[in-house]
Amino acid sequence: MRIVSCFVLGLLLLSPAAAWACADVEPAPAVKECVDEAPAQTAKEHYALGFEAAEERDYEAALQAFKKAYAACPHFAILYNLGQAQIALNRPREAIAALSRYLQEGQEQIPPERIPVVKEQMHGRFPDAPHK
């Protein structure tokens, strides 16, 4: 299922060598570590749980794990995963909010070819939802 493979595009905390693809877009560069190792490790653990939950199509559990990962080490790339979980849960406002923040906070760090894909997810999937 495409939504599951999309979860990894935004964040490659587990393995910088991972090569997941969604709609022919290259994966994002590996996320920079937090200043302290403990929050980075916590974020990696929660991200791993979120990814496992997403693979099992337990998107609510994935969402909660990604929220914990972002709280431990707030990196823009995790916002992409939050947005994907919200899309899977059919929560347009929350998905658009997370993906908008992803685009805003990531800016030039986001590969240029990914930006239209994210915008299409926001505007194409939820045309009637309010967009920021």
Side-chain angles (χ1 to χ4, degrees):
M1 178 177 218
R2 182 176 165 188
I3 192 80
V4 174
S5 64
C6 291
F7 270 103
V8 217
L9 277 177
L11 182 63
L12 295 176
L13 279 174
L14 296 177
S15 170
W20 292 85
C22 177
D24 299 325
V25 178
E26 292 298 315
V31 174
K32 295 177 183 175
E33 296 293 330
C34 290
V35 175
D36 298 321
E37 287 184 34
Q41 185 58 39
T42 299
K44 287 179 185 180
E45 291 168 4
H46 286 297
Y47 176 78
L49 292 172
F51 181 70
E52 289 173 18
E55 284 188 323
E56 295 171 7
R57 297 189 176 130
D58 185 351
Y59 300 117
E60 187 61 47
L63 176 65
Q64 296 310 313
F66 292 138
K67 283 182 177 181
K68 289 177 183 177
Y70 188 78
C73 185
H75 190 278
F76 79 92
I78 299 172
L79 294 168
Y80 180 84
N81 299 89
L82 290 169
Q84 296 306 308
Q86 298 289 15
I87 288 171
L89 293 166
N90 197 30
R91 297 178 182 161
R93 290 180 187 199
E94 294 90 342
I96 290 168
L99 294 173
S100 294
R101 284 184 59 207
Y102 166 75
L103 292 173
Q104 182 181 23
E105 293 180 22
Q107 295 183 14
E108 69 278 349
Q109 297 175 66
I110 300 171
E113 64 274 9
R114 176 159 318 129
I115 294 170
V117 174
V118 173
K119 288 182 177 181
E120 173 60 26
Q121 286 183 315
M122 293 167 50
H123 303 287
R125 193 177 284 263
F126 305 116
D128 297 328
H131 296 95
K132 293 184 179 182

